[in-house]
Amino acid sequence: ITIKDLDHALRTLGRQCTKKQLEYMIWEVDENLDGEINWDEFKMMYHRNVTDETGLEPFELFNIVQFMTYLPSLKIDKDFKAQITEDDTMSTLFARYG
């Protein structure tokens, strides 16, 4: 995942971030400091956040990944406004936190 990839994904979702914000999200996960997130870094980020009991793991990119994972649960109307039911929210929270 490059800054360009992340920027495109977020813009598609209607969120614009500064270059500095995008760089920070990548930096949080980029273990080898090459400016990109490879598959091993992605898996490590996901595992660390899912098992984090302290709340100290970097979570900005993780929250975006979680949102995109649960995106199919959202009900999107003709104006592209997304809504999620209380039941779907509880299912999402249960899947994330148990």
Side-chain angles (χ1 to χ4, degrees):
I1 300 172
T2 65
I3 289 175
K4 186 177 178 180
D5 297 330
L6 185 56
D7 184 45
H8 176 74
L10 290 172
R11 284 178 189 269
T12 300
L13 295 171
R15 180 167 179 210
Q16 286 187 285
C17 294
T18 66
K19 185 176 180 184
K20 190 171 190 161
Q21 290 171 315
L22 296 168
E23 288 172 341
Y24 182 76
M25 285 185 244
I26 297 285
W27 175 82
E28 282 186 327
V29 180
D30 186 16
E31 294 289 325
N32 63 9
L33 300 175
D34 65 352
E36 300 177 353
I37 299 169
N38 63 38
W39 181 238
D40 288 332
E41 291 167 334
F42 182 88
K43 290 188 299 184
M44 186 182 317
M45 174 267 307
Y46 194 87
H47 175 74
R48 284 180 174 173
N49 276 275
V50 168
T51 60
D52 181 25
E53 295 179 4
T54 65
L56 299 175
E57 280 296 323
F59 58 84
E60 297 225 6
L61 184 64
F62 178 75
N63 286 344
I64 292 166
V65 168
Q66 286 291 93
F67 177 78
M68 292 175 85
T69 300
Y70 298 120
L71 197 56
S73 300
L74 296 176
K75 312 306 187 259
I76 301 177
D77 66 16
K78 61 182 172 61
D79 297 323
F80 294 102
K81 292 183 181 173
Q83 296 180 346
I84 187 167
T85 66
E86 185 176 342
D87 286 340
D88 289 339
T89 300
M90 295 307 294
S91 295
T92 299
L93 291 172
F94 182 77
R96 183 168 182 182
Y97 297 110

